[in-house]
Amino acid sequence: MSNDKILQPMAGMTLEEMQDAVTSLGMPRFVAKQLAQWIYQKRVNDFDQMQNISKANRELLSSRYCVGLYPPSQASASQDGTVKYLFDAGNKQAVESVFIPEEDRATLCISSQKGCRMNCYFCMTGKQGFHGNLTANQIINQVLSIPESESLTNVVFMGMGEPLDNLDEVMRVIAILTEPWGLAWSPKRVTVSTVGKLPELKILCEQTSVHIAVSVHNAVQEERSSMMPIERISPIDRVMEVLGNYDFAHQRRLSVEYICWQWFNDDIQHAEKLRELLPNEHVRVNLIRYHMIPGIEKLRTSSDERMTYFRDYLNSKGVTCTIRRSRGEDIAAACGMLAGKVRDTQAASDAKASAKQPRGNRSNKS
């Protein structure tokens, strides 16, 4: 039987939590700020590399804590440059993140849960069920441990899970991303996507300045309810009414995500219903192509012509509407396709000890 201690990771802690940790060990509070700088700004994963902390304090920290950063266990590269990363999430579970490079942006789509409770009919993540919330450590590790970490310009909570169903941990990560002691990003570099979970959405709007993206997909209540069970608890018209109370007219952005299905929600009547739903003229609409998942063969994505007509109609009515370019579909990394399945459980369990150069281990497995 192993006598190894389970060390608590420091990556994922807020500055206040680090202060509590170091003072409980008899160290000065300022050591917490040094730790935050080494972990979040310098991406160091070993206390021994933190040279402005005394050797005695480093040894004391190592007896109770670990830094807690670990690389992805697998990486899959798309023909379009998108890269999907698989991270061990414990108990034979895994989550996926997607790196999306563009000419002027480098975006990482991160996960907040193992599976999802929302059970949206068209989503691969929802089809696998819910297996637990990710910790702040597991979420921020996705940002800090990929090879492209230091080149990132944006992070979007659009991966596996409903972020507002894991609000406490997501709020910790937002603080790490945006506070001066963390990555010190502008909140405008962070977007949180949600199906519209109230009252958590109010907390997010009031306590942060991040961008908000709402997954609407259908503005007709009965039809949305048939695809998204959350509609019965948090009706989308109520969600939009709440969002109308906040300022999205300046730097902060509110956007609507709308998957287009052929002959289901892609006609002018649905476009008009969507326009009527929007709380004001400052909301942007992103049309998304549907990416087929196993077992949902009856749904088909809209044609380019119908999506263009839908977009042009909304634009003609004063609504800013664009068609989002699909990325990573060939590696099951596009919208709604993330599953986090570990096909090589040994590779995932060995992730923390190996895969130091995931770029060299890329394959088309996912």
Side-chain angles (χ1 to χ4, degrees), residues 179-208:
E179 292 290 342
W181 48 262
L183 274 65
W185 283 13
S186 164
K188 311 309 180 292
R189 295 171 64 178
V190 181
T191 300
V192 176
S193 177
T194 176
V195 294
K197 196 168 186 288
L198 297 172
E200 291 85 354
L201 183 57
K202 293 181 182 179
I203 297 173
L204 183 72
C205 289
E206 292 168 3
Q207 297 185 15
T208 78

Side-chain angles (χ1 to χ4, degrees), residues 159-358:
M160 297 172 61
E162 163 56 47
L164 300 191
D165 197 35
N166 188 16
L167 184 60
D168 288 346
E169 300 301 295
V170 167
M171 292 288 279
R172 283 190 178 90
V173 174
I174 291 172
I176 293 167
L177 292 170
T178 60
E179 292 290 342
W181 48 262
L183 274 65
W185 283 13
S186 164
K188 311 309 180 292
R189 295 171 64 178
V190 181
T191 300
V192 176
S193 177
T194 176
V195 294
K197 196 168 186 288
L198 297 172
E200 291 85 354
L201 183 57
K202 293 181 182 179
I203 297 173
L204 183 72
C205 289
E206 292 168 3
Q207 297 185 15
T208 78
S209 298
V210 299
H211 295 320
I212 308 292
V214 182
S215 298
V216 175
H217 308 316
N218 202 315
V220 179
Q221 184 176 15
E222 297 79 9
E223 294 176 4
R224 186 173 191 263
S225 181
S226 70
M227 306 284 278
M228 303 174 68
I230 190 67
E231 175 67 21
R232 300 160 202 163
I233 303 169
S234 295
I236 195 61
D237 56 351
R238 173 60 181 151
V239 171
M240 287 299 172
E241 180 183 349
V242 168
L243 289 169
N245 296 323
Y246 300 96
D247 181 12
F248 293 99
H250 298 93
Q251 289 187 320
R252 193 178 197 184
R253 185 171 67 242
L254 171 61
S255 58
V256 158
E257 311 292 295
Y258 194 94
I259 296 174
C260 290
W261 291 288
Q262 185 89 28
W263 312 119
F264 180 68
N265 68 342
D266 63 348
D267 54 38
I268 294 304
Q269 289 76 21
H270 282 85
E272 179 58 23
K273 284 287 188 182
L274 179 59
R275 186 190 70 80
E276 294 172 357
L277 178 69
L278 304 180
N280 53 56
E281 70 276 13
H282 304 298
V283 184
R284 304 182 183 191
V285 175
N286 294 317
L287 303 184
I288 303 170
R289 290 177 174 82
Y290 171 62
H291 304 99
M292 289 188 65
I293 63 173
I296 313 295
E297 284 76 14
K298 73 177 184 178
L299 291 176
R300 293 288 185 273
T301 192
S302 299
S303 65
D304 289 345
E305 292 77 14
R306 289 179 71 84
M307 290 184 72
T308 299
Y309 194 43
F310 196 105
R311 178 200 66 191
D312 291 349
Y313 176 83
L314 288 177
N315 283 328
S316 73
K317 299 295 183 178
V319 176
T320 301
C321 181
T322 59
I323 299 174
R324 179 184 291 170
R325 178 188 170 197
S326 181
R327 300 290 297 272
E329 185 173 6
D330 58 324
I331 56 169
C335 180
M337 301 183 78
L338 299 186
K341 292 186 177 179
V342 183
R343 293 182 180 166
D344 185 348
T345 55
Q346 186 60 45
S349 65
D350 290 344
K352 296 178 184 179
S354 62
K356 292 182 179 179
Q357 295 180 328

Side-chain angles (χ1 to χ4, degrees), residues 6-7 9 45 66 68-73 87-91 137-138 141 346-356:
I6 298 176
L7 302 176
N45 195 29
C66 62
L69 298 179
Y70 55 95
S73 60
F87 287 92
D88 178 20
N91 298 320
N137 168 257
Q138 292 170 319
N141 180 70
Q346 186 60 45
S349 65
D350 290 344
K352 296 178 184 179
S354 62
K356 292 182 179 179

Side-chain angles (χ1 to χ4, degrees), residues 10 41 59 91 104 121 142 180-181 188 196 239 326 330 332 366:
M10 300 205 86
Q41 297 172 14
E59 291 176 350
N91 298 320
D104 58 344
Y121 178 72
Q142 297 168 61
W181 48 262
K188 311 309 180 292
V239 171
S326 181
D330 58 324
S366 58

Side-chain angles (χ1 to χ4, degrees), residues 4-238:
D4 292 344
K5 292 181 180 178
I6 298 176
L7 302 176
Q8 183 179 354
M10 300 205 86
M13 289 186 181
T14 64
L15 180 61
E16 183 179 2
E17 290 167 336
M18 287 185 181
Q19 289 170 340
D20 290 342
V22 300
T23 56
S24 72
L25 295 175
M27 301 178 195
R29 285 167 61 87
F30 69 79
V31 175
K33 190 170 184 180
Q34 294 172 323
L35 285 167
Q37 289 173 337
W38 282 110
I39 296 171
Y40 298 134
Q41 297 172 14
K42 299 181 181 180
R43 271 70 161 182
V44 165
N45 195 29
D46 190 332
F47 291 122
D48 284 338
Q49 296 177 4
M50 304 177 183
Q51 295 303 311
N52 61 348
I53 299 176
S54 71
K55 182 178 180 181
N57 282 342
R58 295 200 304 267
E59 291 176 350
L60 186 54
L61 285 165
S62 297
S63 70
R64 298 282 190 90
Y65 299 96
C66 62
V67 173
L69 298 179
Y70 55 95
S73 60
Q74 295 179 23
S76 305
S78 168
Q79 294 179 353
D80 63 23
T82 300
V83 184
K84 182 172 70 171
Y85 291 106
L86 185 77
F87 287 92
D88 178 20
N91 298 320
K92 296 186 179 180
Q93 298 294 325
V95 296
E96 293 174 331
S97 304
V98 182
F99 173 69
I100 308 168
E102 298 174 90
E103 287 186 9
D104 58 344
R105 293 163 64 93
T107 301
L108 183 67
C109 175
I110 62 176
S111 296
S112 56
Q113 294 182 309
K114 294 175 274 190
C116 186
R117 260 192 278 253
M118 301 300 106
N119 195 30
C120 295
Y121 178 72
F122 48 85
C123 178
M124 189 68 183
T125 305
K127 293 302 174 189
Q128 72 177 67
F130 177 70
H131 303 288
N133 287 323
L134 295 183
T135 63
N137 168 257
Q138 292 170 319
I139 299 172
I140 196 63
N141 180 70
Q142 297 168 61
V143 178
L144 299 180
S145 294
I146 62 169
E148 303 88 352
S149 176
E150 297 199 37
S151 68
L152 294 175
T153 62
N154 299 82
V155 163
V156 294
F157 287 81
M158 295 183 180
M160 297 172 61
E162 163 56 47
L164 300 191
D165 197 35
N166 188 16
L167 184 60
D168 288 346
E169 300 301 295
V170 167
M171 292 288 279
R172 283 190 178 90
V173 174
I174 291 172
I176 293 167
L177 292 170
T178 60
E179 292 290 342
W181 48 262
L183 274 65
W185 283 13
S186 164
K188 311 309 180 292
R189 295 171 64 178
V190 181
T191 300
V192 176
S193 177
T194 176
V195 294
K197 196 168 186 288
L198 297 172
E200 291 85 354
L201 183 57
K202 293 181 182 179
I203 297 173
L204 183 72
C205 289
E206 292 168 3
Q207 297 185 15
T208 78
S209 298
V210 299
H211 295 320
I212 308 292
V214 182
S215 298
V216 175
H217 308 316
N218 202 315
V220 179
Q221 184 176 15
E222 297 79 9
E223 294 176 4
R224 186 173 191 263
S225 181
S226 70
M227 306 284 278
M228 303 174 68
I230 190 67
E231 175 67 21
R232 300 160 202 163
I233 303 169
S234 295
I236 195 61
D237 56 351
R238 173 60 181 151

